[in-house]
Amino acid sequence: MPIDPADVEICLAPDEAAEPAEPTDADQAAAEAAGGAGATPLPMSAPIVQTSLFSFPTFRSLVKGLADERHHTVYTRGRNPTVQALDRKLAALERGDAAATFASGMAAVSAVLLGLLEAGDRILFVNQVYGPTLELARHLRRFGISHDIVLDLGPDAVEAAIRRETRLLWIESPGTMLFRLADVAAIAQRAASHGVITVLDNSWATPLFQKPLEAGIDVVVHSASKYLGGHSDLLAGAVVTSEECMERIFDRAYMLNGGILSPFDAWLLLRGLRTLPARMRQHEADALAVADFLRGHSAIRRVHHPIRSESPSPAEAGLTGTSGLFSVELVRGDFAGVEALIDGLRRFRIGVSWGGVESLVISPERGDNGAALEAAQIPRGLVRLSIGLEGADALIRDLDAALAASA
Ligand SMILES: *Cc1c(COP(=O)(O)O)cnc(C)c1O
């Protein structure tokens, strides 16, 4: 499906922080001279409000601001106009009431878990989930928060894994590494019927290709270090949810954990959003072309791309498009085979993360972690590709040469 034109408009709109809150007398005079109200020229991009604090005209006005730091700029650990301009765009893209942005995706993950959970609660992880998120959950055991993992994605199996203490269901769809899809709307509905809060990590699809809140999910989390930023030059995270949920996350975790996004990084992210629709169209098309090539290759056992999902189909799962990250299983699935392919690639850079302009390659193989991979149901010889913007032909030629040399 084409990207929703409303989303393109949101991404391209001049940043709201660029509009002066109250025009000064000088603005007014300039507007009149230029032929009427609204004629004041505005910058296209938000000013970077690089300040730690905001001074108030009177003590009483400061007291008023301190009473509600979520809605007043008092201190940049709470609110900052550049960051707020970004938050408004992300909330609009996800069709949520409120958004907050963080210093990294993991800061966003931490804020959601610490903001919404109490000692004695359980988390239910659905699908293969980003490794550090699971590792954080393991640390939370010290605070009386435990978890379960369900890898059978059928709504019945997921519902059966909900226990009396389950307070929060955390889902990735597509999942990490294998990109398996779940019927997000059906799972959200089952969880809601048990009073369980649902959270979806939407980093892979971006709001352009999946709208979890519209499918009944309560909270969306992003690593904005991936596609939203899009240029491998910043770390950021985001949470989009209802006013009610955001109040808890903001009061209990955003301001107190302190992992907030700096105004400069918020500005970089606003800049990244401008090209998000154009970038995602190319990531999608080129990844599909590369996946098609690899599907027919004799050195490849299997391609794990969500476009191939049959039950649920991508549309049934809630995807309206696909991004540029997928994986392949090599026929020569030992560490040496993986190493030979990765080191043989020229256009793909070797590194962690994904979602940027440059194509990237990595594997979960470490040479000695077969048992851990098996426990997580990750097959041997898996290689993950992040398709950048170099063009599909150049990447296919590179893969073709490296596969021939490594087979
Ligand atoms: C990278 C990533 C995160 C963590 O984001 P950081 O910005 O690296 O902290 C969370 N979830 C997923 C799916 C990711 O890929």
Side-chain angles (χ1 to χ4, degrees), residues 118-201:
E118 313 286 339
D121 287 346
R122 286 188 90 85
I123 308 165
L124 177 60
F125 288 106
V126 179
N127 209 353
Q128 271 102 359
V129 166
Y130 181 64
T133 300
L134 283 182
E135 209 172 312
L136 174 64
R138 285 194 277 274
H139 280 285
L140 291 179
R141 285 207 190 106
R142 288 188 283 129
F143 305 100
I145 295 166
S146 46
H147 66 272
D148 303 291
I149 301 172
V150 59
L151 295 177
D152 181 339
L153 303 181
D156 289 340
V158 172
E159 186 172 15
I162 295 175
R163 305 196 200 186
R164 195 164 38 83
E165 302 81 17
T166 305
R167 184 84 199 93
L168 186 147
L169 182 152
W170 187 286
I171 180 168
E172 275 186 37
S173 179
T176 211
M177 289 297 166
L178 298 182
F179 309 97
R180 294 161 66 222
L181 296 182
D183 183 336
V184 171
I187 289 171
Q189 200 207 338
R190 301 289 181 99
S193 73
H194 293 269
V196 171
I197 303 166
T198 46
V199 184
L200 188 142
D201 184 329

Side-chain angles (χ1 to χ4, degrees), residues 202-384:
N202 202 23
S203 308
W204 188 92
T206 82
L208 300 188
F209 292 152
Q210 178 162 248
K211 298 255 193 298
L213 300 179
E214 290 187 338
I217 292 287
D218 297 311
V219 183
V220 169
V221 168
H222 281 282
S223 168
S225 321
K226 314 292 166 49
Y227 288 121
L228 299 183
H231 294 76
S232 312
D233 55 7
L234 74 97
L235 285 189
V239 172
V240 189
T241 183
S242 62
E243 276 295 332
E244 189 195 348
C245 238
M246 184 56 79
E247 203 169 293
R248 287 176 65 197
I249 293 168
F250 189 87
D251 291 347
R252 300 173 58 168
Y254 181 88
M255 278 209 75
L256 300 180
N257 292 2
I260 58 113
L261 192 62
S262 74
F264 180 67
D265 285 342
W267 181 86
L268 275 179
L269 203 35
L270 280 165
R271 191 166 81 152
L273 286 182
R274 288 233 158 71
T275 55
L276 183 68
R279 286 186 285 113
M280 293 314 290
R281 282 189 202 105
Q282 191 180 338
H283 286 302
E284 174 176 51
D286 290 358
L288 288 170
V290 174
D292 263 349
F293 161 76
L294 291 169
R295 202 163 286 127
H297 200 287
S298 61
I300 302 293
R301 190 185 307 284
R302 203 166 155 201
V303 174
H304 296 276
H305 187 298
I307 202 74
R308 302 278 287 175
S309 178
E310 282 173 8
S311 179
S313 69
E316 287 163 349
L319 284 184
T320 55
T322 54
S323 67
L325 187 75
F326 66 97
S327 62
V328 295
E329 254 172 84
L330 303 185
V331 170
R332 192 181 159 201
D334 56 349
F335 185 84
V338 166
E339 185 181 30
L341 171 63
I342 291 179
D343 288 346
L345 289 166
R346 290 290 164 263
R347 303 301 293 256
F348 288 80
R349 319 286 173 97
I350 305 168
V352 298
S353 194
W354 42 274
V357 166
E358 295 85 12
S359 292
L360 285 165
V361 60
I362 198 170
S363 167
E365 289 285 343
R366 301 289 178 270
D368 59 358
N369 63 338
L373 292 177
E374 196 178 327
Q377 295 183 19
I378 304 290
R380 306 307 302 272
L382 200 73
V383 173
R384 191 186 73 180

Side-chain angles (χ1 to χ4, degrees), residues 377-407:
Q377 295 183 19
I378 304 290
R380 306 307 302 272
L382 200 73
V383 173
R384 191 186 73 180
L385 302 172
S386 173
I387 302 301
L389 302 179
E390 299 91 341
D393 290 348
L395 299 175
I396 288 171
R397 273 197 304 276
D398 192 25
L399 282 160
D400 199 20
L403 283 166
S406 69

